[in-house]
Amino acid sequence: MESTQKKSSPRPVNKGDRTKQIFALVSMVSFGGSAIFGIFSLFSSGLSSQHQQKQATATVSQESLLAAQERGYETVLQREPQNQTALEGLANVRLQMNNKVGAIEPLEKLVKLNPDRADYKALLGQAKGK
């Protein structure tokens, strides 16, 4: 019995078909690349905005932390006006907050209580701008 199946021979590729295939391939690669680039840009912009928000939050939280420390030292000094630890802490916090005028009073008390401490005198001179 003879086989009724015909052997399929490869169809000769037409030059126009080959151009269409290349064009289709280039189009798919371009579409895929632009989609990937768009998704990458979306995620990177989202991450950078989150990073900026975290930096802003860190700045605000640092300022609020210093303000809370300042209030705490002031509370201690209301009960114990000669507490040297609280005076030193208050002066340091105010200097960190760039409040040199506010740091002068506790530094003056520290110099008065400890006239032999050169570091207190130096900080007081810096706060007064000398």
Side-chain angles (χ1 to χ4, degrees):
M1 278 191 161
E2 280 186 38
S3 172
T4 58
Q5 296 177 353
K6 294 182 181 178
K7 291 185 178 179
S8 63
S9 62
R11 190 181 96 181
V13 177
N14 187 357
K15 189 174 186 181
D17 288 343
R18 187 71 169 159
T19 305
K20 288 178 185 177
Q21 289 175 347
I22 292 172
F23 181 74
L25 181 64
V26 168
S27 297
M28 287 188 288
V29 169
S30 298
F31 176 76
S34 65
I36 290 171
F37 179 75
I39 290 170
F40 178 75
S41 296
L42 177 68
F43 283 117
S44 66
S45 68
L47 291 175
S48 67
S49 68
Q50 287 178 352
H51 181 68
Q52 290 171 350
Q53 288 173 349
K54 286 181 182 178
Q55 285 180 334
T57 303
T59 302
V60 169
S61 65
Q62 177 69 18
E63 291 172 0
S64 63
L65 178 64
L66 290 173
Q69 288 176 347
E70 181 182 30
R71 287 189 302 272
Y73 289 128
E74 288 171 344
T75 302
V76 171
L77 289 170
Q78 286 174 355
R79 289 178 293 189
E80 304 172 44
Q82 306 298 318
N83 186 316
Q84 294 183 26
T85 303
L87 287 168
E88 186 174 342
L90 181 61
N92 286 329
V93 165
R94 287 183 175 169
L95 288 172
Q96 288 176 12
M97 296 171 69
N98 292 323
N99 182 0
K100 291 182 179 183
V101 174
I104 292 173
E105 181 187 350
L107 285 171
E108 286 177 338
K109 288 181 181 180
L110 283 169
V111 168
K112 187 177 180 181
L113 292 170
N114 302 293
D116 56 326
R117 294 276 308 258
D119 56 337
Y120 291 153
K121 291 178 184 177
L123 282 174
L124 180 59
Q126 289 175 359
K128 287 185 175 181
K130 294 181 180 178

